[in-house]
Amino acid sequence: MEDLLKHKIIEAIRVLYAGEALEDLIQLQETKKEFRGDFTLVVFPLLRFSKNTPEKTGESIGNYLISKCPSLSGYNVIKGFLNLEVADKWWIEFFSQMVAGDDYLASCRVKKPETIMVEYSSPNTNKPLHLGHIRNNLLGYSLYRILSACGHKVIKTNIVNDRGIHICKSMLAWQKYGDGETPESSGIKGDHLVGKYYVLFERKYKQEAEELKEKGVSEAEARNSAPLIREAREMLLKWESGDSEVLELWKKMNQWVYSGFDKTYRLLGVEFDKIYYESDTYKIGRDLVMNALKDNILYRHDDSSIWVDLNSEGLDQKLLLRSDGTAVYMTQDLGTAVLRHDEYGFDRCLYVVGNEQNYHFQVLKAVLKKMGYPWSDGLYHFSYGMVELPEGKMKSREGTIVDADDLIEEMKETARDVSAELGKLADFTEEEKEDIFSKIGLGALKYFILKVDPRKNMTFNPSESIDFNGNTGPFIQYTYARIKSVFRKAGQNGVVYDPVINAGIKAGEKEISLIKILRRFTAVVSEAAGTYSPALVANYCYELAREYNQFYHDFSILGEPDSSIRNLRLAISDATSRVLGAGMWLLGIEMPERM
């Protein structure tokens, strides 16, 4: 329809004003909800041809379109905007074609698909995954599904930060205070156990620093010279020099963490095509730095540290190797980027990382560009906002984070309590109930996080997320299950649904309204892929579910005596369930058949 209208508008300008308008001048958009119409033409750019007022220009073009387009039923002009109304007959014809198709995402496919890498999760092996990681993983996985739905080849990757001073802190604390404790001996999940010793290190370290301050040492010097932090630095140097004892401890404790991470990833329903480890890629980065130093792209300070000067790029100077030769995060990211491009030759690489790292990724891109890698233009920092709880920020060092495993279990328990209160699952087996509790709980968690614009900070409230009546995952899941119930009842009552729609049917305003929303689905998915925003898909699903529920309450479906109208309403119900199922799948959310 949009292409037809643009063609006819260009034709109108030629006929009415003897002008040749390029398609770029034709600004056609969906009509805002507060105005009557389906498509709106912005008239102002066309005044150069009409030499008239916006209102009269809109009237002339509107009259021409009505005379030449049977698919239009009317128009109105508000200032410089021409609102065009599409005839109900066209909407029914469109819907008939939609229902006849099997793949509702087919029109999302781009003509020139790309190879796109999406990096998400990026955990440290000194602590378990927490609420912040949940937002990261859900955003990354949803981006993978949305971009894949649009026809791109998407590689899901994870970079595990398994080396560095923070890892040595957990190792040293376990070595000094652990007394041989293991996940098996303690019954504690491996990543939780290692995180316990990271928190213990910080507490002991803080105590030592306070004792030094009481002796008159400055705060900065106390934190720098406390015995524990010096031991941790020595351990890092031993690790980088290949000390066998340190490496053995590192491998053992990391394996505990990896086993724990795998369980959490399975609970969240996310996965990866390739996992990279900083302990491997920092070596590649270090070689890149040394080669760039030889080529005079970088420079060495008097203390032997190696830096890059990015003043001409407006980014100041950046450390790439410390004076003792140890690598920084930037070193590892340089190595990882080059390794990935060598392996996959991606067109784009999306780094799903919080907005506190904006500067880091500006530097990464600039350094790679300076080193002579033109593909660095395809690196994008998908910068998302922080997630907090109603009581405030979380702090890993103080052990005040919200653990991902605990939160997932809490969401399941909340789903169990809410379902019991509503009394909706009385005739279900225990196995069926547990499956539904899991789908509702995870659906609530995922939807609540993904419905927020990823660029914004957000506050996660578990009790709000599982409301069956608001803008929540369970509300959309319940709408889907409700439609499935309609079709089960249809079968029980002998009502046969025919996907062929009567072309001459007189549909009501509500049916046409739902068809208009259904038509927008592919456009929303394409926009979500173009703007990297799963929130667009999430909020579209809510809008569709809300409108369908109003329709369900206001009109009879199986009780409608007119078989053509009943069949149309069943077709709209079926299409709604299919679109909701596809939309929520893009968000990584499972839809229960019964609730």
Side-chain angles (χ1 to χ4, degrees), residues 301-488:
H301 268 191
D302 293 339
D303 65 356
S304 295
S305 59
I306 299 175
W307 295 68
V308 61
D309 185 352
L310 298 174
N311 277 304
S312 59
E313 288 85 357
L315 294 170
D316 205 358
Q317 299 173 340
K318 179 65 180 178
L319 173 70
L320 298 181
L321 278 179
R322 298 186 185 95
S323 57
D324 60 8
T326 56
V328 295
Y329 274 123
M330 185 59 66
T331 322
Q332 163 251 307
D333 279 348
L334 290 169
T336 306
V338 171
L339 176 60
R340 285 171 172 170
H341 193 268
D342 287 347
E343 290 181 344
Y344 292 100
F346 56 75
D347 299 296
R348 282 184 275 165
C349 179
L350 309 182
Y351 292 90
V352 182
V353 181
N355 55 20
E356 77 279 8
Q357 294 294 327
N358 287 347
Y359 177 77
H360 175 88
F361 286 100
Q362 288 177 330
V363 170
L364 174 65
K365 195 168 182 174
V367 174
L368 286 167
K369 191 84 168 176
K370 210 172 185 71
M371 288 181 170
Y373 295 104
W375 49 261
S376 61
D377 288 335
L379 303 183
Y380 293 86
H381 176 204
F382 179 79
S383 174
Y384 65 89
M386 295 297 97
V387 55
E388 301 175 0
L389 293 168
E391 53 267 28
K393 293 182 180 180
M394 302 173 289
K395 297 179 181 179
S396 299
R397 294 179 181 179
E398 298 178 12
T400 59
I401 63 171
V402 175
D403 178 76
D405 300 312
D406 293 343
L407 181 57
I408 292 169
E409 187 58 36
E410 179 186 338
M411 294 304 298
K412 290 181 183 178
E413 288 300 318
T414 303
R416 180 180 283 106
D417 294 342
V418 172
S419 298
E421 185 178 326
L422 295 173
K424 294 182 178 293
L425 305 178
D427 60 336
F428 286 53
T429 67
E430 288 305 313
E431 185 177 351
E432 288 174 329
K433 287 179 182 178
E434 288 304 313
D435 179 61
I436 289 175
F437 296 150
S438 178
K439 288 177 178 175
I440 295 174
L442 279 170
L445 172 63
K446 293 179 178 182
Y447 183 84
F448 198 88
I449 285 177
L450 291 174
K451 74 176 181 179
V452 178
D453 183 335
R455 291 175 292 274
K456 295 181 179 178
N457 291 346
M458 66 167 294
T459 300
F460 178 71
N461 190 318
S463 59
E464 286 182 15
S465 72
I466 212 157
D467 186 348
F468 275 69
N469 296 308
N471 183 6
T472 66
F475 173 74
I476 299 169
Q477 290 173 316
Y478 183 68
T479 304
Y480 178 87
R482 165 174 273 173
I483 295 171
K484 294 300 180 182
S485 175
V486 168
F487 279 90
R488 284 195 296 272

Side-chain angles (χ1 to χ4, degrees), residues 466-525:
I466 212 157
D467 186 348
F468 275 69
N469 296 308
N471 183 6
T472 66
F475 173 74
I476 299 169
Q477 290 173 316
Y478 183 68
T479 304
Y480 178 87
R482 165 174 273 173
I483 295 171
K484 294 300 180 182
S485 175
V486 168
F487 279 90
R488 284 195 296 272
K489 290 177 182 176
Q492 293 165 4
N493 296 334
V495 176
V496 179
Y497 162 53
D498 183 357
V500 178
I501 309 300
N502 183 345
I505 194 170
K506 296 294 183 183
E509 183 179 343
K510 200 65 179 177
E511 283 97 347
I512 296 297
S513 176
L514 273 167
I515 290 171
K516 290 178 180 180
I517 296 173
L518 288 166
R519 181 179 181 269
R520 285 177 34 224
F521 177 54
T522 54
V524 169
V525 175

Side-chain angles (χ1 to χ4, degrees), residues 262-276:
D262 286 345
K263 292 178 183 177
T264 307
Y265 289 139
R266 284 196 296 272
L267 288 172
L268 275 178
V270 302
E271 58 192 5
F272 309 94
D273 298 312
K274 181 70 178 283
I275 297 179
Y276 294 88

Side-chain angles (χ1 to χ4, degrees), residues 136-400:
N136 181 299
N137 279 276
L138 297 184
L139 285 169
Y141 194 70
S142 182
L143 283 174
Y144 146 68
R145 284 195 166 178
I146 290 169
L147 291 166
S148 296
C150 292
H152 298 293
K153 178 185 177 183
V154 186
I155 302 110
K156 311 181 295 295
T157 66
N158 183 2
I159 177 71
V160 178
N161 298 307
D162 62 343
R163 59 164 291 279
I165 191 69
H166 52 295
I167 309 299
C168 290
K169 289 177 178 179
S170 295
M171 292 164 58
L172 183 61
W174 182 87
Q175 196 176 58
K176 295 175 83 67
Y177 314 114
D179 196 26
E181 184 178 30
T182 67
E184 292 74 23
S185 69
S186 64
I188 301 175
K189 193 163 167 273
D191 50 337
H192 290 242
L193 182 65
V194 173
K196 165 186 166 182
Y197 285 99
Y198 178 68
V199 173
L200 179 60
F201 176 95
E202 289 295 336
R203 189 168 72 243
K204 297 282 190 180
Y205 168 40
K206 187 176 181 179
Q207 289 173 358
E208 289 184 350
E210 289 297 323
E211 290 171 2
L212 289 173
K213 283 166 62 179
E214 290 174 2
K215 295 177 180 178
V217 177
S218 69
E219 182 171 352
E221 179 60 26
R223 294 193 65 80
N224 188 54
S225 61
L228 268 178
I229 197 66
R230 287 190 300 184
E231 285 186 75
R233 292 194 195 108
E234 289 170 6
M235 179 176 276
L236 178 59
L237 287 170
K238 287 181 179 180
W239 184 91
E240 293 210 3
S241 64
D243 181 276
S244 58
E245 185 180 342
V246 172
L247 284 177
E248 184 180 349
L249 174 61
W250 171 76
K251 289 176 182 177
K252 177 169 65 175
M253 294 183 69
N254 273 352
Q255 194 54 55
W256 294 346
V257 175
Y258 298 149
S259 296
F261 284 171
D262 286 345
K263 292 178 183 177
T264 307
Y265 289 139
R266 284 196 296 272
L267 288 172
L268 275 178
V270 302
E271 58 192 5
F272 309 94
D273 298 312
K274 181 70 178 283
I275 297 179
Y276 294 88
Y277 298 91
E278 185 183 346
S279 54
D280 296 325
T281 62
Y282 90 97
K283 299 172 185 175
I284 300 171
R286 193 166 56 187
D287 290 343
L288 289 170
V289 169
M290 297 308 296
N291 289 333
L293 180 67
K294 291 176 185 176
D295 294 337
N296 296 317
I297 296 169
L298 311 177
Y299 67 95
R300 192 189 294 273
H301 268 191
D302 293 339
D303 65 356
S304 295
S305 59
I306 299 175
W307 295 68
V308 61
D309 185 352
L310 298 174
N311 277 304
S312 59
E313 288 85 357
L315 294 170
D316 205 358
Q317 299 173 340
K318 179 65 180 178
L319 173 70
L320 298 181
L321 278 179
R322 298 186 185 95
S323 57
D324 60 8
T326 56
V328 295
Y329 274 123
M330 185 59 66
T331 322
Q332 163 251 307
D333 279 348
L334 290 169
T336 306
V338 171
L339 176 60
R340 285 171 172 170
H341 193 268
D342 287 347
E343 290 181 344
Y344 292 100
F346 56 75
D347 299 296
R348 282 184 275 165
C349 179
L350 309 182
Y351 292 90
V352 182
V353 181
N355 55 20
E356 77 279 8
Q357 294 294 327
N358 287 347
Y359 177 77
H360 175 88
F361 286 100
Q362 288 177 330
V363 170
L364 174 65
K365 195 168 182 174
V367 174
L368 286 167
K369 191 84 168 176
K370 210 172 185 71
M371 288 181 170
Y373 295 104
W375 49 261
S376 61
D377 288 335
L379 303 183
Y380 293 86
H381 176 204
F382 179 79
S383 174
Y384 65 89
M386 295 297 97
V387 55
E388 301 175 0
L389 293 168
E391 53 267 28
K393 293 182 180 180
M394 302 173 289
K395 297 179 181 179
S396 299
R397 294 179 181 179
E398 298 178 12
T400 59

